[in-house]
Amino acid sequence: MKPRYLEIRPHDYKRSGITCLMAVLYVATEMVTGHMVERHRSGVFLAFLGLVSEEIKPRTPVHVVLDKVSSYKSEEVNQWLKEHLPRPYG
């Protein structure tokens, strides 16, 4: 696309091959753990949070970067965050 021009798509355009990537970057070790899923649902996100929570040492600070997907705002995710955050540092 050029500046000041609208994006144009044909009437039969379909988005295909779209996937969701959830990943963790361990900065100190430069290791990446990632999972690709077709649909982004609260249950899948909670399972990923549980996996990450088990892999990280208790006194390690964690920074989370999220996009605007509504599955982060579900009641189940809010409850999980209340139970697990803030992580104890002592």
Side-chain angles (χ1 to χ4, degrees), residues 56-64 84-90:
I56 297 175
K57 295 177 184 175
R59 295 171 39 150
T60 305
V62 176
H63 302 272
V64 179
H84 292 87
L85 298 177
R87 293 170 54 93
Y89 290 104

